[in-house]
């Protein structure tokens, strides 16, 4: 990795960081942590992703320090990574990301909070369960809308919120996507 630091093409560093993270080998942890200090947002985002494989308080804190990063890519990756880690320490940062100016960051923060059993992102999840809300985002194509709905159904169902469950129940019967209907039924154990 140190040799790759001299290469102006960051893709090599990105690949190495991701590979080191996926091994979950503790001997790589310090190198990945150091990559958080790089200037390139892609490398930083991949370092955040890789640290999520090491579910340790120190890494949760390091990732939490990136929630105010100027790059929405980095903030989004932090929202996803914190959702993969132990609840508690990560929840404060996730709650602050709910109001991120980049909608996708807030969406992922709400999903991550729901995975932790935290209802703080309830309003965001209710929006994600509404096709007309998602249709307002011209940069989100049909496939992405379908994927977003599926993730939102799975996450929202984890909360055990009666109002959300009712919305999911309606989706399980009326949604145009048969896969989503099936997923909604499974999420609610219907």
């Amino acid at each position: 990795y140190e040799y790759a630091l001299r290469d102006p093409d960051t893709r090599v560093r990105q690949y190495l960081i991701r590979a080191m993270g996926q091994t979950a080998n503790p001997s790589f942890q310090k190198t990945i942590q150091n990559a958080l200090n790089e200037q390139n947002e892609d490398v930083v985002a991949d370092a955040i992703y890789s640290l999520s494989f090491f579910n340790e308080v120190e890494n949760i804190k390091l990732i939490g320090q990136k929630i105010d990063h100027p790059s929405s890519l980095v903030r989004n990756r932090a929202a996803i990574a914190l959702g993969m880690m132990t609840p508690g320490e990560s929840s404060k940062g996730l709650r602050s990301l709910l109001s991120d100016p980049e909608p996708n960051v807030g969406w992922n923060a709400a999903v991550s909070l729901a995975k932790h059993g935290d209802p703080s992102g309830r309003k965001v999840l209710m929006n994600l369960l509404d096709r007309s809300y998602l249709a307002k985002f011209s940069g989100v194509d049909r496939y992405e809308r379908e994927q977003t709905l599926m993730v939102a159904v799975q996450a929202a169902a984890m909360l055990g919120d009666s109002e959300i469950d009712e919305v999911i129940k309606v989706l399980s019967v009326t949604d145009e996507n048969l896969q989503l209907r099936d997923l909604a039924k499974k999420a609610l154990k219907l």
Side-chain angles (χ1 to χ4, degrees):
Y1 183 80
E2 284 70 26
Y3 178 76
L5 287 171
R6 291 176 271 192
D7 190 336
D9 186 350
T10 62
R11 292 177 296 179
V12 174
R13 291 197 301 277
Q14 288 176 253
Y15 172 79
L16 289 172
I17 288 294
R18 286 192 305 260
M20 286 187 273
Q22 289 180 342
T23 68
N25 183 330
S27 66
F28 295 134
Q29 193 169 196
K30 190 52 83 178
T31 300
I32 298 169
Q33 289 171 342
N34 289 338
L36 289 173
N37 299 320
E38 288 212 26
Q39 296 300 311
N40 183 282
E41 68 182 16
D42 295 315
V43 174
V44 174
D46 285 332
I48 288 170
Y49 164 77
S50 294
L51 283 179
S52 70
F53 290 95
F54 303 92
N55 195 5
E56 297 180 13
V57 173
E58 177 186 12
N59 292 330
I60 293 171
K61 288 179 180 178
L62 288 170
I63 293 170
Q65 292 171 4
K66 298 299 179 184
I67 63 171
D68 294 322
H69 196 277
S71 166
S72 63
L73 171 68
V74 170
R75 296 189 313 274
N76 195 41
R77 199 65 58 90
I80 295 167
L82 291 172
M84 296 166 50
M85 301 176 91
T86 304
E89 186 74 34
S90 61
S91 296
K92 181 181 176 189
L94 286 168
R95 282 188 213 104
S96 69
L97 288 172
L98 286 171
S99 58
D100 194 273
E102 171 60 41
N104 199 30
V105 174
W107 298 350
N108 282 315
V111 167
S112 290
L113 285 163
K115 286 179 181 178
H116 290 173
D118 185 327
S120 300
R122 180 185 186 285
K123 181 180 177 190
V124 174
L125 290 171
M126 287 292 282
N127 284 336
L128 293 177
L129 294 171
D130 179 359
R131 282 187 176 279
S132 63
Y133 169 80
L134 291 173
K136 294 176 187 175
F137 296 92
S138 59
V140 179
D141 65 26
R142 182 176 174 81
Y143 175 79
E144 291 170 320
R145 280 194 301 273
E146 298 300 325
Q147 294 304 306
T148 300
L149 271 164
M150 290 187 180
V151 169
V153 163
Q154 290 175 311
M158 292 178 187
L159 293 176
D161 178 295
S162 60
E163 186 179 359
I164 287 176
D165 289 350
E166 191 57 39
V167 171
I168 295 172
K169 189 182 278 187
V170 170
L171 288 172
S172 77
V173 177
T174 64
D175 195 77
E176 63 192 51
N177 182 330
L178 295 177
Q179 285 181 312
L180 183 68
R181 283 187 195 187
D182 186 50
L183 182 69
K185 288 175 186 168
K186 287 178 182 171
L188 292 179
K189 299 178 176 89
L190 297 176

